Amino acid sequence: MYYPQHHKFHIPVMGLAYTIDTPIKVARFGISSAISIVEDRLVEMMRKHYYPVINQEYHPIRTHEKDYRAKRITDYLNLVNTIVQVQIEKLRKTAFEAGSEITKYFEMLPDDSLLKQLYRKMIKTGDQPEKSKIESYLRTQIIPGSIDVNIMTKIDRENYNQFGELLEDGSDAVAALRGYAKSNLSDSSVVFSAGMNPRLYNYLENCEEFNINEDGCFTKKIIIKVSDYRSALIQGKYLAKKGIWVSEFRIESGLNCGGHAFATEGYLLGSILEEFKSNKQELMDTLFEIYNAAQQKKNNQKLNYPPRMVFSVQGGIGTHEEDDFLHRHYNMESTGWGTPFLLVPEATTVDEDTLKLLCAAKERDVVLSRNSPLGVRFYYLKGTSAEREKLVRIKNGKPGSPCTEKHLGFNTEFTKEPICTASHKYQKLKITQLQSLHLPAPEYKKQLNDVLDKECLCVGLSNAAAINYKQTFIKKLNAVNICPGPNIVNFSKVVSLQTMTDHIYGRGNILTDPNRPHMFIAELNLYIDYLKEQLEEHAGPEQFSKKKKYFTSFYKNLREGLMYYRQVPGISGASGNQFARALYYAGLELDFLNYQYGIEDK
């Protein structure tokens, strides 16, 4: 059965550790969130932490056990689910009094929620029988937020047994999916991010847990994170042909986000959302026709109506006004608030030192780096313990990190077995190669920096939980890195869960910069900077010529997006003049780039 969520926002996955136990912190208040499940050692560490918390004995799932990765994930998700269900039962029985969790549950709901209005009626009424009647009803309406999981599809390394034999269906992403599928989570979703992975999607076909129920709903649902409409259509069709329904498309800004950034070819979020809005029904009808045919072939089952499909958006949202516009104008069912929640210890798991860095972060401190071994651009907060440790290793002539987890080991440039480009082994081999090429000094420095930039993410993005819960993740490796979106610079203090929720729903304001640009303007400026960087890197005549078609398309898409923003009524809200002025200056900057590089043919 489908249970409607009471909140209008969700907390997306962040890093590895930062939302690893977020459902335990927020689900009982009806807030949905996502756990990254690719790092099974972190999952095992969390099992070790939480079993004693609920007075149960912890039994390790060791690496020599068959299918240990999937087993660790299944058990941890079952554990999280158990904890949340106990919390919910306890919350339902608490008294409606100041400071109680049941009061907090209803006070945090959006003001236009029918339950919130009924709660207010209950508070005001002096009729005791009526008050008791409403109280009883409200208790029955308390449901937890969805406990979702995230699998980054690109992290899908092959795994082998002790005899060196390839494990069938044993790759990282497939094992993680199996772990989730076998868990007892219900009315839950797996979020696939970072694009299509045919092996992973093909495995889905064999998972009965994602089949439609008799009531036309799903126990376990599929969410696809996309950065444009075309990607949604391609991935949706691929899965529909296999009899797999996508229950949600989660649209994310290509650049105004946290973690790995997958820039579009200059397509801006507003234009992308408009395309989804205009083609929503066509997308649903197209996918349903393919899905229904697959169901008939697979199960001899024909559906009369398409299953439920929703659309959500995330990436750089910072005010209630922006949030409300996304819901009203684009009909988004939910909005993702990620980066700001890094400053909410009641919701996320961030160590104290990193928390202080986040609070103090300025624009210059959050960079679109090349630090990820995946070779994908990666938002990165400077000044972390991981960055300091990396610089010390370079200074001591021992660049690179010990590679204990190997989840990002994909490079076979020098070795038969894939290794990680952040590892000491790879960087030593690569630097030796660069030295032998006798490159011109500027080119050598550029390529050397590309090598040295790479940083271990498996450990760095996991250690915050180890530090907070006084656990050992990897012995003698305690450094932390973190990947907030650029939006972090607009939030500078640690706040409570209720304060952040009040900010989202317009009942308070915790922004520190009154001149913060609108989320659409912030993204537009990020794309202009990105285009400028790409043009500078390919400024030579031969290089530019090879990329000219790309640059022209990028420029035209930005121009069209800018024109779109000028004609959307109500888009700027109270900051109309500031929004229009920002568009004007962005247009001038694009014109100058076109003049400087000759991007568009006359």
Side-chain angles (χ1 to χ4, degrees):
M1 183 176 177
Y2 167 70
Y3 294 100
Q5 294 294 308
H6 296 324
H7 278 284
K8 296 180 176 182
F9 72 91
H10 59 270
I11 302 176
V13 70
M14 286 184 278
L16 297 174
Y18 304 116
T19 55
I20 188 69
D21 57 346
T22 292
I24 293 174
K25 300 181 177 189
V26 306
R28 68 184 180 278
F29 298 113
I31 299 171
S32 299
S33 59
I35 299 171
S36 173
I37 55 171
V38 73
E39 175 50 83
D40 62 277
R41 191 195 296 254
L42 174 61
V43 165
E44 182 66 8
M45 188 192 81
M46 297 307 291
R47 292 181 64 248
K48 185 179 180 182
H49 169 71
Y50 271 109
Y51 269 111
V53 169
I54 63 170
N55 298 314
Q56 288 189 25
E57 189 177 352
Y58 160 68
H59 298 285
I61 298 174
R62 305 198 184 277
T63 55
H64 61 76
E65 292 187 36
K66 186 178 180 181
D67 206 19
Y68 72 90
R69 286 183 180 82
K71 287 178 181 176
R72 285 175 167 181
I73 291 162
T74 299
D75 190 79
Y76 179 60
L77 295 178
N78 290 348
L79 174 60
V80 171
N81 194 28
T82 297
I83 293 171
V84 170
Q85 294 305 323
V86 170
Q87 290 172 339
I88 286 288
E89 287 307 310
K90 184 179 176 182
L91 187 148
R92 284 178 180 146
K93 293 172 184 175
T94 56
F96 278 96
E97 57 190 20
S100 70
E101 289 205 336
I102 196 167
T103 298
K104 189 175 175 181
Y105 183 101
F106 289 101
E107 285 181 347
M108 285 199 293
L109 293 176
D111 291 343
D112 58 359
S113 158
L114 294 177
L115 284 182
K116 179 70 168 281
Q117 292 167 23
L118 197 57
Y119 166 75
R120 284 175 170 167
K121 181 180 177 182
M122 181 268 293
I123 291 174
K124 291 177 182 176
T125 185
D127 184 335
Q128 194 56 46
E130 176 71 4
K131 193 182 190 77
S132 298
K133 183 180 177 182
I134 297 174
E135 277 190 11
S136 297
Y137 176 75
L138 288 176
R139 291 181 196 280
T140 66
Q141 296 306 298
I142 292 171
I143 59 168
S146 181
I147 303 170
D148 298 329
V149 303
N150 190 93
I151 297 175
M152 189 174 180
T153 57
K154 290 185 182 296
I155 303 177
D156 196 21
R157 172 197 55 159
E158 298 276 20
N159 289 299
Y160 300 83
N161 64 19
Q162 58 184 331
F163 306 109
E165 299 164 337
L166 181 68
L167 291 173
E168 186 179 359
D169 297 328
S171 66
D172 283 352
V174 171
L177 176 59
R178 182 165 56 255
Y180 167 69
K182 292 185 179 299
S183 73
N184 60 20
L185 291 175
S186 60
D187 200 30
S188 167
S189 303
V190 56
V191 184
F192 293 125
S193 61
M196 192 161 72
N197 177 339
R199 172 167 62 190
L200 184 65
Y201 286 5
N202 292 345
Y203 183 79
L204 261 179
E205 196 173 2
N206 303 316
C207 298
E208 294 181 358
E209 294 85 356
F210 296 95
N211 289 348
I212 195 165
N213 301 330
E214 289 181 3
D215 58 4
C217 298
F218 299 89
T219 303
K220 289 184 168 66
K221 302 186 287 291
I222 304 294
I223 297 175
I224 305 289
K225 191 191 290 186
V226 295
S227 54
D228 58 38
Y229 181 82
R230 182 172 173 271
S231 177
L233 186 61
I234 291 170
Q235 294 190 69
K237 281 182 173 180
Y238 190 94
L239 288 172
K241 287 175 184 175
K242 298 182 176 301
I244 302 294
W245 183 252
V246 178
S247 294
E248 179 181 337
F249 285 105
R250 189 160 285 183
I251 307 150
E252 183 174 62
S253 167
L255 281 182
N256 198 11
C257 59
H260 287 91
F262 296 88
T264 66
E265 202 169 288
Y267 296 107
L268 299 176
L269 184 60
S271 301
I272 292 166
L273 292 175
E274 191 67 48
E275 187 174 10
F276 271 97
K277 179 183 176 181
S278 301
N279 297 296
K280 200 177 283 187
Q281 191 60 50
E282 184 181 342
L283 175 64
M284 193 181 301
D285 291 344
T286 299
L287 297 187
F288 178 57
E289 185 179 351
I290 299 169
Y291 174 77
N292 217 0
Q295 283 294 310
Q296 281 185 280
K297 186 177 179 181
K298 192 175 176 181
N299 304 316
N300 197 26
Q301 178 185 24
K302 184 177 181 181
L303 304 176
N304 295 320
Y305 304 100
R308 179 176 164 79
M309 179 184 287
V310 302
F311 299 82
S312 61
V313 61
Q314 57 196 41
I317 310 168
T319 68
H320 166 67
E321 197 172 39
E322 291 170 356
D323 186 270
D324 186 56
F325 184 79
L326 294 169
H327 283 287
R328 283 188 297 104
H329 186 77
Y330 298 112
N331 302 320
M332 291 292 111
E333 179 114 348
S334 181
T335 50
W337 285 69
T339 291
F341 272 101
L342 290 171
L343 299 182
V344 185
E346 287 178 71
T348 54
T349 301
V350 184
D351 61 286
E352 193 174 338
D353 289 344
T354 308
L355 205 52
K356 289 176 182 175
L357 277 178
L358 289 166
C359 288
K362 305 300 179 191
E363 202 169 321
R364 64 181 179 273
D365 300 318
V366 184
V367 294
L368 185 58
S369 75
R370 301 179 189 275
N371 291 22
S372 172
L374 279 177
V376 177
R377 300 299 288 275
F378 182 72
Y379 274 111
Y380 185 84
L381 179 66
K382 295 167 71 175
T384 60
S385 54
E387 184 184 42
R388 295 195 301 271
E389 186 179 275
K390 178 176 72 174
L391 294 176
V392 168
R393 284 178 175 151
I394 293 169
K395 185 179 178 181
N396 293 339
K398 295 181 179 179
S401 307
C403 192
T404 60
E405 304 308 281
K406 307 185 189 303
H407 294 299
L408 303 181
F410 298 112
N411 187 281
T412 54
E413 193 176 350
F414 304 107
T415 56
K416 185 177 179 181
E417 181 185 345
I419 58 176
C420 178
T421 55
S423 68
H424 173 67
K425 183 176 183 179
Y426 173 83
Q427 294 197 3
K428 184 180 177 182
L429 291 166
K430 186 64 178 178
I431 292 169
T432 300
Q433 182 200 57
L434 290 178
Q435 289 170 341
S436 72
L437 296 176
H438 305 296
L439 297 166
E443 181 61 23
Y444 173 77
K445 185 177 179 182
K446 178 182 178 296
Q447 292 197 35
L448 178 64
N449 286 338
D450 283 346
V451 175
L452 298 177
D453 279 344
K454 300 298 181 285
E455 193 168 308
C456 175
L457 302 184
C458 298
V459 177
L461 293 177
S462 297
N463 268 334
I467 293 168
N468 272 19
Y469 300 131
K470 296 178 173 56
Q471 296 283 339
T472 299
F473 182 64
I474 304 289
K475 287 181 181 178
K476 299 181 181 179
L477 294 178
N478 305 308
V480 173
N481 46 35
I482 195 164
C483 48
N487 199 22
I488 190 63
V489 303
N490 301 300
F491 298 86
S492 62
K493 60 183 179 181
V494 173
V495 297
S496 69
L497 178 62
Q498 190 152 2
T499 299
M500 183 58 75
T501 305
D502 285 344
H503 174 79
I504 293 170
Y505 291 138
R507 300 186 290 248
N509 181 16
I510 59 173
L511 284 178
T512 51
D513 182 5
N515 297 314
R516 167 193 174 272
H518 190 283
M519 61 177 287
F520 288 151
I521 296 296
E523 187 202 44
L524 171 60
N525 290 333
L526 288 168
Y527 268 103
I528 292 173
D529 289 344
Y530 185 81
L531 175 60
K532 195 185 304 181
E533 176 197 88
Q534 296 295 306
L535 287 165
E536 288 170 357
E537 286 183 3
H538 300 84
E542 190 176 336
Q543 286 181 304
F544 181 81
S545 178
K546 287 179 180 177
K547 298 273 289 185
K548 189 175 190 305
K549 186 177 178 182
Y550 166 77
F551 289 138
T552 302
S553 175
F554 201 113
Y555 169 80
K556 284 182 175 178
N557 290 334
L558 283 181
R559 265 278 170 214
E560 288 174 8
L562 193 149
M563 294 301 293
Y564 164 78
Y565 285 145
R566 283 179 177 157
Q567 63 188 15
V568 180
I571 192 170
S572 56
S575 60
N577 291 336
Q578 183 183 354
F579 190 91
R581 192 161 52 249
L583 286 178
Y584 173 74
Y585 285 117
L588 288 180
E589 193 163 6
L590 279 173
D591 287 342
F592 181 72
L593 285 176
N594 187 30
Y595 167 78
Q596 186 180 10
Y597 290 95
I599 301 170
E600 189 176 37
D601 294 324
K602 301 298 182 186

